[in-house]
Coordinates of all heavy atoms in Angstrom, one line a residue:
M1 N 93.1 108.9 65.0 CA 93.7 107.9 65.8 C 93.0 106.6 65.6 O 91.8 106.5 65.7 CB 93.7 108.4 67.2 CG 94.3 107.4 68.1 SD 94.8 108.1 69.7 CE 93.5 107.9 70.8
R2 N 93.7 105.5 65.4 CA 93.0 104.2 65.1 C 93.1 103.4 66.4 O 94.1 103.5 67.1 CB 93.8 103.5 64.0 CG 93.7 104.3 62.7 CD 94.1 103.5 61.6 NE 92.9 102.7 61.3 CZ 92.7 102.1 60.2 NH1 93.6 102.1 59.3 NH2 91.7 101.4 60.0
N3 N 92.1 102.6 66.6 CA 92.1 101.7 67.8 C 92.9 100.4 67.4 O 93.0 100.1 66.3 CB 90.6 101.3 68.1 CG 89.8 102.4 68.6 OD1 90.4 103.3 69.2 ND2 88.5 102.3 68.6
R4 N 93.5 99.9 68.4 CA 94.3 98.7 68.2 C 93.4 97.5 68.0 O 92.4 97.4 68.7 CB 95.1 98.5 69.5 CG 96.1 97.3 69.4 CD 96.9 97.3 70.6 NE 96.1 96.8 71.8 CZ 95.8 95.5 72.1 NH1 96.3 94.6 71.3 NH2 95.1 95.3 73.1
T5 N 93.7 96.7 67.1 CA 92.9 95.5 66.8 C 93.2 94.4 67.9 O 94.3 94.2 68.3 CB 93.3 94.9 65.4 OG1 93.2 95.9 64.4 CG2 92.4 93.7 65.1
V6 N 92.1 93.8 68.3 CA 92.2 92.8 69.4 C 92.3 91.5 68.8 O 91.4 91.1 67.9 CB 91.0 92.9 70.3 CG1 91.1 91.9 71.4 CG2 90.8 94.3 71.0
A7 N 93.3 90.8 69.1 CA 93.6 89.4 68.5 C 92.7 88.4 69.4 O 92.4 88.6 70.6 CB 95.0 89.0 68.6
I8 N 92.2 87.4 68.8 CA 91.4 86.4 69.4 C 92.1 85.6 70.5 O 91.6 85.2 71.5 CB 90.8 85.3 68.4 CG1 89.7 84.5 69.0 CG2 91.9 84.5 67.9 CD1 88.5 85.3 69.3
T9 N 93.5 85.6 70.5 CA 94.3 84.9 71.5 C 94.3 85.7 72.8 O 94.7 85.3 73.9 CB 95.7 84.7 71.1 OG1 96.3 85.9 70.6 CG2 95.7 83.7 69.9
E10 N 93.8 87.0 72.8 CA 93.9 87.8 74.0 C 92.6 87.7 74.7 O 92.5 88.3 75.8 CB 94.1 89.3 73.7 CG 95.5 89.6 73.0 CD 95.6 91.0 72.6 OE1 94.7 91.8 72.8 OE2 96.6 91.4 72.1
L11 N 91.6 87.0 74.2 CA 90.3 86.9 74.9 C 90.5 85.9 76.1 O 91.2 85.0 76.0 CB 89.3 86.4 73.9 CG 88.9 87.3 72.8 CD1 87.9 86.6 71.9 CD2 88.3 88.6 73.4
P12 N 89.7 86.1 77.2 CA 89.8 85.2 78.3 C 89.1 83.9 77.9 O 88.3 83.9 77.0 CB 89.1 86.0 79.4 CG 88.2 87.0 78.7 CD 88.9 87.3 77.4
P13 N 89.4 82.8 78.6 CA 88.7 81.6 78.3 C 87.2 81.7 78.6 O 86.8 82.5 79.5 CB 89.4 80.6 79.2 CG 90.0 81.4 80.3 CD 90.4 82.7 79.7
S14 N 86.4 80.9 78.0 CA 85.0 80.9 78.2 C 84.7 80.4 79.6 O 85.5 79.6 80.2 CB 84.3 80.0 77.1 OG 84.5 78.7 77.4
P15 N 83.5 80.6 80.2 CA 83.2 80.1 81.5 C 83.2 78.6 81.5 O 83.6 78.0 82.5 CB 81.8 80.7 81.8 CG 81.8 81.9 81.0 CD 82.6 81.6 79.7
E16 N 82.8 78.0 80.4 CA 82.8 76.5 80.4 C 84.2 75.9 80.5 O 84.5 74.9 81.1 CB 82.1 75.9 79.1 CG 80.6 76.3 79.2 CD 80.3 77.7 78.7 OE1 81.2 78.4 78.1 OE2 79.1 78.1 78.9
Q17 N 85.1 76.6 79.7 CA 86.6 76.1 79.7 C 87.2 76.3 81.1 O 87.9 75.5 81.6 CB 87.3 76.9 78.7 CG 87.0 76.5 77.2 CD 87.7 77.4 76.2 OE1 88.0 78.5 76.5 NE2 87.9 76.9 75.0
E18 N 86.9 77.5 81.7 CA 87.5 77.8 83.0 C 87.0 76.8 84.0 O 87.7 76.3 84.8 CB 87.1 79.2 83.4 CG 87.8 79.6 84.6 CD 87.5 81.1 85.0 OE1 86.8 81.8 84.3 OE2 88.0 81.5 86.1
Q19 N 85.7 76.5 84.0 CA 85.1 75.6 85.0 C 85.6 74.2 84.8 O 86.0 73.5 85.7 CB 83.6 75.6 84.9 CG 82.9 74.6 85.9 CD 81.4 74.5 85.7 OE1 80.8 74.9 84.7 NE2 80.7 74.1 86.7
S20 N 85.9 73.8 83.5 CA 86.4 72.5 83.2 C 87.8 72.3 83.7 O 88.2 71.3 84.4 CB 86.3 72.2 81.8 OG 86.9 71.0 81.4
A21 N 88.6 73.4 83.6 CA 90.0 73.3 84.1 C 90.0 73.3 85.6 O 90.8 72.5 86.2 CB 90.7 74.6 83.5
R22 N 89.1 74.0 86.2 CA 89.1 74.0 87.7 C 88.6 72.7 88.2 O 89.2 72.2 89.2 CB 88.2 75.1 88.2 CG 88.7 76.5 88.0 CD 88.0 77.6 88.7 NE 86.7 77.6 88.3 CZ 85.7 78.3 88.9 NH1 85.9 78.8 90.0 NH2 84.4 78.3 88.4
M23 N 87.7 72.0 87.5 CA 87.3 70.7 87.9 C 88.4 69.6 87.8 O 88.5 68.8 88.6 CB 86.0 70.2 87.1 CG 84.7 71.0 87.5 SD 83.3 70.7 86.5 CE 83.1 68.9 86.6
R24 N 89.1 69.7 86.7 CA 90.2 68.8 86.4 C 91.3 69.0 87.6 O 91.9 68.0 88.1 CB 90.9 69.1 85.1 CG 90.1 68.4 84.0 CD 90.9 68.4 82.7 NE 91.4 69.7 82.3 CZ 90.8 70.5 81.5 NH1 89.6 70.2 81.0 NH2 91.3 71.7 81.2
R25 N 91.6 70.3 88.0 CA 92.6 70.5 89.0 C 92.1 70.0 90.3 O 92.8 69.3 91.1 CB 92.9 72.0 89.2 CG 93.9 72.6 88.2 CD 94.2 74.0 88.7 NE 93.1 74.8 88.8 CZ 92.9 75.9 88.1 NH1 93.8 76.3 87.2 NH2 91.8 76.7 88.2
Y26 N 90.8 70.1 90.6 CA 90.2 69.5 91.9 C 90.3 68.0 91.9 O 90.8 67.4 92.9 CB 88.9 70.0 92.1 CG 88.2 69.5 93.3 CD1 88.4 70.1 94.5 CD2 87.3 68.4 93.3 CE1 87.8 69.6 95.7 CE2 86.7 67.9 94.4 CZ 87.0 68.5 95.6 OH 86.4 68.1 96.8
A27 N 90.0 67.4 90.8 CA 90.0 65.9 90.7 C 91.4 65.4 90.8 O 91.6 64.3 91.4 CB 89.3 65.5 89.3
L28 N 92.4 66.0 90.2 CA 93.7 65.7 90.3 C 94.2 65.7 91.7 O 94.8 64.8 92.2 CB 94.6 66.5 89.4 CG 96.1 66.2 89.4 CD1 96.4 64.8 88.9 CD2 96.8 67.2 88.6
T29 N 93.9 66.8 92.4 CA 94.4 67.1 93.8 C 93.8 66.0 94.7 O 94.4 65.4 95.5 CB 94.1 68.4 94.2 OG1 94.6 69.4 93.3 CG2 94.7 68.7 95.6
M30 N 92.5 65.7 94.5 CA 91.8 64.7 95.3 C 92.3 63.3 94.9 O 92.3 62.4 95.9 CB 90.3 64.8 95.2 CG 89.8 66.1 95.7 SD 90.3 66.5 97.4 CE 89.4 65.4 98.3
G31 N 92.7 63.1 93.7 CA 93.3 61.8 93.4 C 94.6 61.5 94.1 O 94.9 60.5 94.6
I32 N 95.4 62.6 94.1 CA 96.6 62.5 94.9 C 96.4 62.3 96.4 O 97.1 61.5 97.1 CB 97.5 63.8 94.7 CG1 97.9 63.9 93.3 CG2 98.7 63.8 95.6 CD1 98.6 65.3 92.9
R33 N 95.3 62.9 96.9 CA 94.9 62.6 98.3 C 94.6 61.2 98.6 O 95.0 60.6 99.6 CB 93.8 63.5 98.7 CG 93.3 63.2 100.2 CD 92.1 64.0 100.5 NE 91.8 63.8 101.9 CZ 90.6 63.6 102.4 NH1 89.6 63.5 101.6 NH2 90.4 63.4 103.7
V34 N 93.9 60.6 97.7 CA 93.5 59.2 97.8 C 94.8 58.3 97.8 O 95.0 57.4 98.5 CB 92.6 58.7 96.6 CG1 92.4 57.2 96.6 CG2 91.2 59.4 96.9
L35 N 95.8 58.6 96.9 CA 97.0 58.0 97.0 C 97.8 58.1 98.3 O 98.4 57.1 98.8 CB 97.9 58.4 95.8 CG 97.4 58.1 94.4 CD1 98.3 58.7 93.3 CD2 97.4 56.6 94.2
C36 N 97.7 59.3 98.9 CA 98.3 59.5 100.2 C 97.6 58.6 101.2 O 98.3 58.1 102.2 CB 98.2 61.0 100.5 SG 99.3 62.1 99.6
I37 N 96.3 58.5 101.1 CA 95.6 57.6 102.2 C 96.0 56.2 102.0 O 96.3 55.5 103.0 CB 94.1 57.8 102.0 CG1 93.6 59.2 102.4 CG2 93.3 56.8 102.8 CD1 92.2 59.6 102.1
F38 N 96.2 55.8 100.8 CA 96.6 54.4 100.5 C 98.1 54.3 101.0 O 98.5 53.2 101.5 CB 96.5 54.0 99.1 CG 95.1 53.6 98.7 CD1 94.5 54.2 97.6 CD2 94.3 52.7 99.5 CE1 93.2 53.8 97.3 CE2 93.1 52.3 99.1 CZ 92.5 52.9 98.0
A39 N 98.9 55.2 100.8 CA 100.3 55.2 101.3 C 100.4 55.1 102.8 O 101.3 54.4 103.3 CB 101.0 56.4 100.7
C40 N 99.5 55.7 103.4 CA 99.5 55.6 104.9 C 99.3 54.2 105.4 O 99.7 53.8 106.5 CB 98.3 56.5 105.5 SG 98.6 58.2 105.5
L41 N 98.7 53.3 104.6 CA 98.5 52.0 105.0 C 99.8 51.1 104.8 O 100.0 50.1 105.5 CB 97.4 51.3 104.1 CG 96.0 51.9 104.2 CD1 95.1 51.2 103.2 CD2 95.4 51.8 105.6
F42 N 100.7 51.5 104.0 CA 101.9 50.8 103.8 C 103.2 51.3 104.3 O 104.2 50.6 104.4 CB 102.1 50.5 102.2 CG 100.9 49.8 101.6 CD1 99.9 50.4 100.9 CD2 100.6 48.4 101.9 CE1 98.8 49.8 100.3 CE2 99.5 47.8 101.4 CZ 98.6 48.5 100.6
V43 N 103.2 52.6 104.5 CA 104.4 53.3 105.0 C 104.6 53.1 106.6 O 103.6 53.3 107.3 CB 104.5 54.8 104.6 CG1 105.7 55.5 105.2 CG2 104.4 54.8 103.1
R44 N 105.7 52.8 107.1 CA 106.0 52.7 108.5 C 107.0 53.7 109.0 O 107.9 54.1 108.2 CB 106.4 51.3 108.8 CG 105.4 50.2 108.4 CD 104.2 50.2 109.4 NE 103.2 49.3 108.9 CZ 101.9 49.6 108.8 NH1 101.5 50.8 109.0 NH2 101.1 48.7 108.4
G45 N 107.0 53.9 110.2 CA 108.1 54.8 110.8 C 107.7 56.2 110.6 O 106.5 56.6 110.5
W46 N 108.8 57.1 110.7 CA 108.6 58.5 110.6 C 108.1 58.9 109.2 O 107.5 60.0 109.0 CB 109.9 59.2 110.8 CG 110.2 59.2 112.4 CD1 111.1 58.3 113.0 CD2 109.7 59.9 113.3 NE1 111.1 58.5 114.3 CE2 110.2 59.6 114.6 CE3 108.7 61.0 113.4 CZ2 109.9 60.2 115.8 CZ3 108.4 61.6 114.6 CH2 109.0 61.2 115.7
W47 N 108.3 58.1 108.2 CA 107.9 58.4 106.8 C 106.4 58.5 106.7 O 105.7 59.0 105.7 CB 108.5 57.5 105.8 CG 109.9 57.7 105.6 CD1 110.9 56.9 106.1 CD2 110.5 58.8 104.9 NE1 112.1 57.5 105.7 CE2 111.8 58.6 104.9 CE3 109.9 59.9 104.2 CZ2 112.7 59.5 104.3 CZ3 110.8 60.8 103.5 CH2 112.2 60.6 103.6
L48 N 105.6 58.0 107.7 CA 104.2 58.0 107.7 C 103.6 59.4 107.8 O 102.5 59.7 107.3 CB 103.6 57.2 108.8 CG 102.1 57.0 109.0 CD1 101.5 56.3 107.8 CD2 101.8 56.3 110.3
I49 N 104.5 60.3 108.3 CA 104.0 61.7 108.5 C 103.8 62.4 107.1 O 102.8 63.1 107.0 CB 105.1 62.5 109.3 CG1 105.1 62.0 110.7 CG2 104.8 64.0 109.2 CD1 106.2 62.6 111.6
V50 N 104.5 62.0 106.1 CA 104.5 62.7 104.8 C 103.2 62.4 104.1 O 102.4 63.3 103.8 CB 105.7 62.3 103.9 CG1 105.5 62.8 102.5 CG2 107.0 62.7 104.5
P51 N 102.7 61.1 104.0 CA 101.4 60.9 103.3 C 100.2 61.3 104.2 O 99.2 61.8 103.7 CB 101.4 59.5 103.0 CG 102.4 58.8 103.9 CD 103.4 59.9 104.1
A52 N 100.5 61.3 105.6 CA 99.4 61.7 106.4 C 99.1 63.1 106.3 O 98.0 63.6 106.2 CB 99.7 61.2 107.9
L53 N 100.2 64.0 106.3 CA 100.0 65.4 106.1 C 99.4 65.7 104.8 O 98.6 66.6 104.6 CB 101.3 66.1 106.2 CG 102.0 66.2 107.7 CD1 103.3 66.9 107.6 CD2 101.0 67.0 108.6
G54 N 99.9 65.0 103.7 CA 99.2 65.1 102.4 C 97.7 64.8 102.4 O 96.9 65.6 101.8
A55 N 97.3 63.8 103.1 CA 95.9 63.4 103.2 C 95.1 64.4 104.0 O 93.9 64.6 103.8 CB 95.8 62.0 103.8
I56 N 95.8 65.1 105.0 CA 95.1 66.0 105.8 C 94.9 67.4 105.1 O 93.8 68.0 105.1 CB 95.8 66.2 107.1 CG1 95.6 64.9 108.0 CG2 95.2 67.4 107.9 CD1 96.6 64.9 109.2
F57 N 96.0 67.9 104.5 CA 96.0 69.2 103.9 C 95.6 69.3 102.5 O 95.2 70.4 102.0 CB 97.3 69.9 104.2 CG 97.6 70.2 105.6 CD1 98.6 69.5 106.3 CD2 96.9 71.1 106.2 CE1 98.8 69.8 107.6 CE2 97.1 71.4 107.6 CZ 98.1 70.7 108.2
L58 N 95.6 68.2 101.7 CA 95.2 68.3 100.3 C 93.8 68.8 100.0 O 93.5 69.4 99.0 CB 95.5 67.0 99.6 CG 97.0 66.9 99.1 CD1 97.3 65.6 98.5 CD2 97.4 68.0 98.1
P59 N 92.8 68.4 100.9 CA 91.4 68.9 100.6 C 91.4 70.3 100.6 O 90.7 71.0 99.8 CB 90.6 68.2 101.7 CG 91.3 67.0 102.1 CD 92.8 67.4 102.0
Y60 N 92.0 71.0 101.6 CA 92.1 72.5 101.7 C 92.7 73.0 100.3 O 92.2 74.0 99.7 CB 92.9 73.0 102.9 CG 93.1 74.4 102.9 CD1 92.1 75.3 103.2 CD2 94.4 75.0 102.6 CE1 92.3 76.7 103.2 CE2 94.5 76.3 102.5 CZ 93.5 77.2 102.9 OH 93.7 78.6 102.8
V61 N 93.8 72.5 100.0 CA 94.5 72.9 98.7 C 93.7 72.8 97.5 O 93.6 73.6 96.6 CB 95.9 72.2 98.6 CG1 96.5 72.5 97.3 CG2 96.8 72.6 99.7
A62 N 92.9 71.6 97.5 CA 92.1 71.3 96.3 C 90.9 72.3 96.2 O 90.7 72.8 95.1 CB 91.5 69.9 96.4
V63 N 90.4 72.8 97.3 CA 89.2 73.7 97.3 C 89.8 75.1 96.9 O 89.1 75.8 96.1 CB 88.5 73.7 98.7 CG1 87.6 74.9 98.7 CG2 87.8 72.4 98.9
V64 N 90.9 75.5 97.5 CA 91.5 76.8 97.2 C 91.8 76.8 95.7 O 91.5 77.8 95.0 CB 92.7 77.0 98.1 CG1 93.4 78.3 97.5 CG2 92.2 77.2 99.4
L65 N 92.4 75.8 95.1 CA 92.8 75.8 93.7 C 91.5 75.8 92.8 O 91.5 76.4 91.8 CB 93.6 74.6 93.4 CG 95.1 74.7 93.9 CD1 95.9 73.4 93.5 CD2 95.8 75.9 93.2
A66 N 90.5 75.0 93.3 CA 89.2 75.0 92.5 C 88.5 76.3 92.4 O 87.8 76.6 91.5 CB 88.3 73.9 93.0
N67 N 88.6 77.1 93.5 CA 87.9 78.3 93.6 C 88.7 79.5 93.0 O 88.2 80.6 92.9 CB 87.5 78.6 95.0 CG 86.4 77.8 95.5 OD1 85.6 77.2 94.7 ND2 86.3 77.5 96.8
A68 N 90.0 79.2 92.8 CA 90.9 80.3 92.2 C 90.5 80.5 90.7 O 90.5 79.6 89.9 CB 92.3 79.9 92.3
V69 N 90.1 81.7 90.4 CA 89.8 82.1 89.1 C 91.1 82.6 88.3 O 91.8 83.4 88.8 CB 88.7 83.2 88.9 CG1 88.5 83.6 87.6 CG2 87.5 82.8 89.7
S70 N 91.4 82.0 87.2 CA 92.6 82.3 86.4 C 92.4 83.7 85.8 O 91.5 84.0 85.1 CB 92.8 81.3 85.4 OG 93.9 81.7 84.5
R71 N 93.4 84.6 86.0 CA 93.4 85.9 85.3 C 94.4 85.9 84.2 O 94.7 87.0 83.7 CB 93.8 87.0 86.4 CG 92.8 87.0 87.5 CD 91.7 87.9 87.3 NE 90.8 88.0 88.5 CZ 89.5 87.9 88.5 NH1 88.9 87.8 87.4 NH2 88.9 88.0 89.6
S72 N 95.0 84.8 83.8 CA 96.1 84.8 82.9 C 95.7 84.7 81.4 O 96.4 84.5 80.6 CB 97.1 83.7 83.2 OG 96.5 82.5 83.0
G73 N 94.4 84.7 81.2 CA 93.8 84.6 79.9 C 94.1 85.7 78.9 O 93.8 85.6 77.7
G74 N 94.5 86.8 79.4 CA 94.7 88.0 78.6 C 94.2 89.2 79.3 O 93.7 89.2 80.4
R75 N 94.3 90.3 78.6 CA 93.8 91.6 79.1 C 92.3 91.6 78.9 O 91.7 90.8 78.4 CB 94.5 92.7 78.4 CG 96.0 92.8 78.7 CD 96.6 94.0 78.1 NE 96.5 94.0 76.6 CZ 97.4 93.6 75.8 NH1 98.4 93.0 76.3 NH2 97.2 93.7 74.5
T76 N 91.7 92.7 79.6 CA 90.3 92.8 79.4 C 89.9 93.1 77.9 O 90.7 93.8 77.3 CB 89.8 93.9 80.3 OG1 90.4 95.2 80.0 CG2 90.0 93.7 81.8
V77 N 88.8 92.7 77.6 CA 88.3 92.9 76.2 C 87.8 94.2 76.1 O 87.0 94.8 76.8 CB 87.3 91.8 75.8 CG1 86.8 92.1 74.4 CG2 87.8 90.5 76.0
E78 N 88.3 95.0 75.1 CA 87.8 96.3 74.8 C 86.5 96.2 74.0 O 86.5 95.7 73.0 CB 88.9 97.1 74.1 CG 90.2 97.3 74.9 CD 91.2 98.1 74.0 OE1 90.8 98.8 73.1 OE2 92.4 98.0 74.4
R79 N 85.5 96.8 74.6 CA 84.2 96.9 73.9 C 84.2 98.1 72.9 O 84.7 99.2 73.3 CB 83.1 97.0 74.9 CG 83.2 96.0 76.0 CD 82.4 94.7 75.4 NE 82.1 93.7 76.4 CZ 83.0 92.9 77.0 NH1 84.2 93.2 77.0 NH2 82.6 91.9 77.8
P80 N 83.6 98.0 71.8 CA 83.6 99.2 70.9 C 82.7 100.3 71.5 O 81.7 100.0 72.1 CB 82.9 98.6 69.6 CG 82.2 97.3 70.0 CD 83.0 96.8 71.2
G81 N 83.1 101.5 71.3 CA 82.3 102.6 71.9 C 81.4 103.2 70.9 O 81.0 102.5 69.9
A82 N 81.1 104.4 71.1 CA 80.1 105.1 70.2 C 80.8 105.4 68.8 O 82.0 105.4 68.7 CB 79.7 106.4 70.8
I83 N 80.0 105.5 67.8 CA 80.5 105.8 66.5 C 81.0 107.3 66.4 O 80.2 108.2 66.8 CB 79.5 105.6 65.4 CG1 79.0 104.1 65.4 CG2 79.9 106.0 64.0 CD1 77.9 103.8 64.5
V84 N 82.2 107.4 66.0 CA 82.8 108.8 66.0 C 82.8 109.2 64.5 O 83.3 108.5 63.7 CB 84.3 108.7 66.5 CG1 84.9 110.1 66.4 CG2 84.3 108.2 67.9
P85 N 82.2 110.4 64.2 CA 82.2 110.9 62.8 C 83.6 111.2 62.4 O 84.4 111.7 63.1 CB 81.2 112.0 62.9 CG 81.2 112.5 64.3 CD 81.4 111.3 65.1
R86 N 83.9 111.0 61.1 CA 85.2 111.2 60.6 C 85.1 112.5 59.8 O 84.3 112.8 58.9 CB 85.5 110.1 59.6 CG 86.9 109.8 59.4 CD 87.0 108.5 58.7 NE 87.9 108.8 57.5 CZ 88.4 107.8 56.7 NH1 87.9 106.6 56.8 NH2 89.3 108.1 55.8
D87 N 86.2 113.3 60.0 CA 86.3 114.6 59.3 C 87.3 114.4 58.1 O 88.4 114.1 58.2 CB 87.0 115.7 60.1 CG 86.0 116.2 61.1 OD1 84.7 116.2 60.8 OD2 86.3 116.8 62.2
D88 N 86.7 114.5 56.9 CA 87.5 114.3 55.7 C 87.8 115.6 55.0 O 88.1 115.7 53.8 CB 86.7 113.4 54.7 CG 86.8 112.0 55.1 OD1 87.7 111.6 55.8 OD2 85.8 111.2 54.8
A89 N 87.6 116.7 55.7 CA 87.9 118.0 55.1 C 89.3 118.3 54.9 O 90.2 118.0 55.2 CB 87.2 119.1 56.0

C-alpha cells in the first residue's frame, strides 16, 4: 500500500504569513472605524446612527477577526512514520 503524496499547496500558511494577514484585516477594520468617526462629524439626522454604530462595534469586530485563526489552508500535514520493511519475496 502506497502513501498519498502531499502537494505543497495543501500545507497551511506559515505563522508569519498568517500573522501578517491578521494584522492587515485588523488595520483595514480599524481604518473603516476611523472613516465612521469622521462620517459622524458630517452626517445629520437619523443617518448619524449608521456611522456611530460602526464606530462603536467595529473595534470588537476587528479584535475578533484578528484573533481568528484561519483553518482553510488545507488539511493537516501527514508526518512520515517509521520505516516499514518491504517484502520482495
Side-chain angles (χ1 to χ4, degrees):
M1 178 156 96
R2 302 196 77 164
N3 289 338
R4 187 177 66 84
T5 305
V6 179
I8 192 71
T9 56
E10 294 178 2
L11 294 175
S14 70
E16 293 83 14
Q17 289 173 334
E18 186 178 359
Q19 181 182 16
S20 175
R22 291 189 298 163
M23 287 173 57
R24 281 193 305 267
R25 275 192 303 242
Y26 181 79
L28 177 68
T29 309
M30 293 310 286
I32 294 171
R33 179 186 184 222
V34 169
L35 292 176
C36 287
I37 291 171
F38 282 129
C40 286
L41 300 174
F42 300 107
V43 176
R44 299 288 176 231
W46 287 100
W47 286 104
L48 181 63
I49 294 173
V50 174
L53 288 175
I56 291 170
F57 291 111
L58 276 176
Y60 171 77
V61 172
V63 169
V64 169
L65 288 177
N67 289 333
V69 177
S70 175
R71 302 270 185 224
S72 64
R75 295 186 296 270
T76 59
V77 178
E78 295 179 20
R79 306 272 190 295
I83 297 175
V84 179
R86 206 170 132 178
D87 283 335
D88 288 331

